[in-house]
Amino acid sequence: DAGVIQSPRHEVTEMGQEVTLRCKPISGHDYLFWYRQTMMRGLELLIYFNNNVPIDDSGMPEDRFSAKMPNASFSTLKIQPSEPRDSAVYFCASSLGGLAGGSYEQYFGPGTRLTVT
Amino acid sequence: RKEVEQDPGPFNVPEGATVAFNCTYSNSASQSFFWYRQDCRKEPKLLMSVYSSGNEDGRFTAQLNRASQYISLLIRDSKLSDSATYLCVVRYQKVTFGTGTKLQVIP
């Protein structure tokens, strides 16, 4: 079975450019999460969706970040304009059931390693 | 005070040793607790959930102490393959990951 799929795996871009990260959750999972991981701050929850609807985006650092989930099998995280401090590994995760109960195991994708120069 | 705190380590232990990590949390209303494992440059993966009564999975034992607001992970008979970063996860309305404890098992 395919796990969570993320693309690209690596992205190097210049400051000011737009960056779009993509995620395909596990089929049938109703929760999708976007995380950012850095050495200094660890793994931070940016936003999560339930049934394609954004539930909590309080972790999104600022207006330069936006996320969408147009359907159950696809989500994007966009940074515009990008800055060097956005350099991190961005993980997407999905789960069946979530905060409302059910199995809460989150399955993570392999991550996108973003470098902004 | 951070919501979830872990000793970053590294914990360097010889093969066969027993090692334990603690993780403290600040919100007494926290509802669920988990340990995830993350290998270098890989994604986190669920290791085990932590139940109020404590639970064991092979060489791994997880415990919850609500009075003192911490969870623990005990690894017996450490293997080289246990070398990884162990992330504590606490849930209250949303999940919060600790920054992880790095374990290095030495031959």
Side-chain angles (χ1 to χ4, degrees), chain A residues 10 35 37 40-43 45 48 56 58 91 98-100 104-106 108-110 113, chain B residues 2 31-32 34 36 38 41-46 87 89 91 93-99:
Chain A
H10 301 272
Y35 291 89
Q37 187 173 40
M40 291 298 295
R41 301 172 68 92
L43 199 62
L45 177 64
Y48 74 92
D56 185 347
S58 59
F91 287 105
L99 303 186
Y104 198 62
E105 178 172 1
Q106 292 189 25
F108 282 75
R113 188 170 296 274
Chain B
K2 287 185 180 179
Q31 299 161 309
S32 305
F34 310 86
Y36 275 69
Q38 186 173 22
R41 301 180 77 86
K42 297 287 189 179
E43 70 273 20
K45 293 183 179 179
L46 180 68
L87 304 171
V89 181
R91 179 172 74 85
Q93 296 184 337
K94 66 179 182 180
V95 291
T96 302
F97 278 75
T99 51

Side-chain angles (χ1 to χ4, degrees), chain A residues 37 42-43 91 108, chain B residues 4 6 21 23 33-39 42-48 71 73 84-90 96-102:
Chain A
Q37 187 173 40
L43 199 62
F91 287 105
F108 282 75
Chain B
V4 180
Q6 294 184 253
F21 314 130
C23 165
F33 309 87
F34 310 86
W35 283 102
Y36 275 69
R37 170 191 168 131
Q38 186 173 22
D39 293 301
K42 297 287 189 179
E43 70 273 20
K45 293 183 179 179
L46 180 68
L47 178 66
M48 58 197 305
I71 65 172
L73 177 67
T85 296
Y86 291 84
L87 304 171
C88 163
V89 181
V90 176
T96 302
F97 278 75
T99 51
T101 296
K102 186 172 183 178

Side-chain angles (χ1 to χ4, degrees), chain A:
Chain A
D1 288 341
V4 175
I5 298 171
Q6 290 188 247
S7 65
R9 295 291 303 276
H10 301 272
E11 177 80 32
V12 180
T13 191
E14 292 183 347
M15 183 174 63
Q17 297 298 306
E18 177 179 295
V19 175
T20 299
L21 312 181
R22 297 173 177 78
C23 175
K24 177 179 169 55
I26 293 173
S27 177
H29 281 190
D30 55 349
Y31 280 80
L32 183 140
F33 308 82
W34 281 102
Y35 291 89
R36 176 173 69 177
Q37 187 173 40
T38 61
M39 288 292 291
M40 291 298 295
R41 301 172 68 92
L43 199 62
E44 301 173 280
L45 177 64
L46 300 177
I47 184 172
Y48 74 92
F49 297 81
N50 176 218
N51 292 322
N52 315 337
V53 176
I55 303 301
D56 185 347
D57 66 354
S58 59
M60 296 286 261
E62 49 198 89
D63 292 345
R64 297 185 297 107
F65 286 69
S66 62
K68 294 181 180 180
M69 192 166 185
N71 57 62
S73 59
F74 184 65
S75 177
T76 59
L77 178 67
K78 186 177 293 186
I79 308 173
Q80 166 64 20
S82 58
E83 297 181 2
R85 59 193 169 119
D86 301 330
S87 297
V89 180
Y90 290 81
F91 287 105
C92 174
S94 69
S95 72
L96 181 61
L99 303 186
S103 169
Y104 198 62
E105 178 172 1
Q106 292 189 25
Y107 294 82
F108 282 75
T112 295
R113 188 170 296 274
L114 173 66
T115 302
V116 184
T117 60

